[in-house]
Amino acid sequence: MRNFNPTNSVNPSKKIRKFKAHVSAFGTTQLHLRNPYVIAWWSAAFPGFGHLLLSKYLRGYALFIWEILINNMSHLNQAMVFSFTGNIAMAKGVLDHRWTIMYIPVYLFAIWDSYRTTVDINRMFLLAERENAEFNSYVMAGLEINYLDKRRPLNAVIWSLFLPGLGQLYIHRVVTAIFTMMFMVAFVYYSNFLLAVHYLFMGDISQATEVLDIQWLLFMPSHYGFAVYDSYVNTVENNKLFESEQRKYLIENYQLNRVKIPVGEFK
C-alpha cells in the first residue's frame, strides 16, 4: 500500500488543488463526466435522484424527503393516476392545492440545480484529470474496509433488481445502499404491494387491485430505476478509476527507464 501524500508527485513543493476521487469507509466518491440532461431527467423523475448521482448526498436526501412529504400531503400521485385514466374531475378533487403550489418551486429547483451542478462538476473533473493527483485507494477503519477493485456491472444490476440497495452494497456505496433499502421497505409496506401479490397468486385480481395504495405504489418504479442505473454507472466508473490508479502507479514505479527505439530501423 502506498502512503498518501497531499503533494504533487511531479513538483513536491506544490500542493494538490483537485482530487479525482476519495475512498472512505462509507464508499468511493469520484469525479467523472456526466450528461447534464440525464441528471436533470432523474431529478424530474424524482427530486433528489439527480443530486445523489452526483454524490451530493445532503442536498439529495433533503430533496428526496421533501418529495415524499409534499407529494403525500398533496395527493399528487393519486391525481396523476386519475388523470392518466381520464378522470380529470377526480384528479382535481383529490389534489390539496395548499401543498401542490408549495411543491412546484422545489421541483423546478431540483431540476435546475442538478443540471447546473453537473456542468460544474464536469469542469472540475477535467481539471482534476489534467492534474492527475494522487488519492487514497485503500482505507481500513474500525467499521469497514474499502478499496478500489474491478467488479461486474451486470452483477450490480441483478442485485438491484432483487432489492434496490443491494447493488450499491455490492460496490460499497454504503450510505446510499442503506438509504435506498430503508425507503424501499417503506414503499412496499405502505403500498400493500406484497399483500396485492398474495391476492394475485390466489387468483383474486379485484381484491389485489383494491388493496393497493396508489399514492405509495407510484414511488416504486422511479426508486427501482434509480437503484439499477446508479449501481451500474458507478460500477463502470469505479472500474475506470481502478485502471487509472493502477496505470499511474505502474508508470511512476516501473517505467522510469524507457527504451528508445530508432524509427529508421523499421523502414
Side-chain angles (χ1 to χ4, degrees):
M1 170 187 172
R2 285 186 296 170
N3 293 324
F4 176 63
N5 183 15
T7 58
N8 192 293
S9 58
V10 178
N11 184 3
S13 63
K14 182 181 178 181
K15 294 290 184 179
I16 292 174
R17 297 187 68 235
K18 290 178 175 62
F19 300 99
K20 190 163 58 175
H22 176 71
V23 177
S24 71
F26 299 103
T28 301
T29 304
Q30 63 168 304
L31 300 175
H32 62 84
L33 292 177
R34 300 173 175 92
N35 189 328
Y37 294 104
V38 173
I39 301 300
W41 185 89
W42 277 110
S43 292
F46 205 115
F49 281 167
H51 291 84
L52 291 179
L53 288 169
L54 297 173
S55 298
K56 304 282 288 186
Y57 298 114
L58 295 181
R59 200 177 305 181
Y61 296 149
L63 290 170
F64 184 92
I65 294 172
W66 171 273
E67 161 69 16
I68 295 174
L69 174 63
I70 305 302
N71 195 315
N72 279 326
M73 299 303 293
S74 64
H75 308 290
L76 182 61
N77 282 348
Q78 286 180 310
M80 289 173 60
V81 172
F82 288 137
S83 64
F84 290 159
T85 55
N87 298 320
I88 306 301
M90 294 183 67
K92 292 180 180 178
V94 76
L95 274 177
D96 189 330
H97 298 290
R98 296 172 299 177
W99 292 97
T100 305
I101 296 174
M102 189 184 301
Y103 177 88
I104 297 173
V106 178
Y107 181 79
L108 295 177
F109 169 81
I111 299 173
W112 172 81
D113 188 65
S114 63
Y115 180 91
R116 177 197 63 82
T117 306
T118 306
V119 174
D120 287 343
I121 288 180
N122 285 345
R123 293 170 180 166
M124 294 300 104
F125 168 77
L126 294 176
L127 294 174
E129 181 75 6
R130 188 179 186 87
E131 186 172 355
N132 199 21
E134 291 187 4
F135 58 89
N136 58 325
S137 59
Y138 173 92
V139 61
M140 180 182 293
L143 295 175
E144 276 287 354
I145 300 174
N146 188 21
Y147 50 89
L148 289 180
D149 66 340
K150 297 193 71 172
R151 300 183 185 181
R152 295 184 177 181
L154 181 60
N155 287 351
V157 170
I158 292 174
W159 284 116
S160 294
L161 289 174
F162 277 119
L163 179 69
L166 293 181
Q168 280 74 16
L169 278 182
Y170 171 67
I171 58 174
H172 203 91
R173 286 171 63 83
V174 178
V175 178
T176 303
I178 294 174
F179 187 85
T180 304
M181 287 191 291
M182 285 176 54
F183 277 96
M184 189 61 191
V185 170
F187 296 155
V188 170
Y189 179 81
Y190 287 110
S191 66
N192 298 321
F193 178 76
L194 294 182
L195 186 59
V197 171
H198 168 74
Y199 285 123
L200 185 63
F201 285 161
M202 299 294 292
D204 194 346
I205 298 177
S206 61
Q207 185 67 19
T209 305
E210 185 177 346
V211 299
L212 279 176
D213 189 331
I214 299 298
Q215 176 61 38
W216 285 94
L217 182 67
L218 230 60
F219 289 129
M220 291 176 57
S222 298
H223 205 67
Y224 250 106
F226 166 78
V228 172
Y229 179 81
D230 177 74
S231 62
Y232 177 84
V233 169
N234 280 285
T235 305
V236 172
E237 295 300 332
N238 283 357
N239 289 346
K240 293 179 182 178
L241 186 65
F242 171 80
E243 293 175 353
S244 174
E245 195 274 339
Q246 286 291 302
R247 186 184 305 114
K248 177 179 172 62
Y249 178 78
L250 293 174
I251 289 174
E252 291 179 352
N253 292 274
Y254 295 97
Q255 200 170 327
L256 298 178
N257 299 318
R258 298 186 179 182
V259 179
K260 295 183 178 179
I261 303 176
V263 180
E265 293 185 5
F266 296 95
K267 292 183 179 180

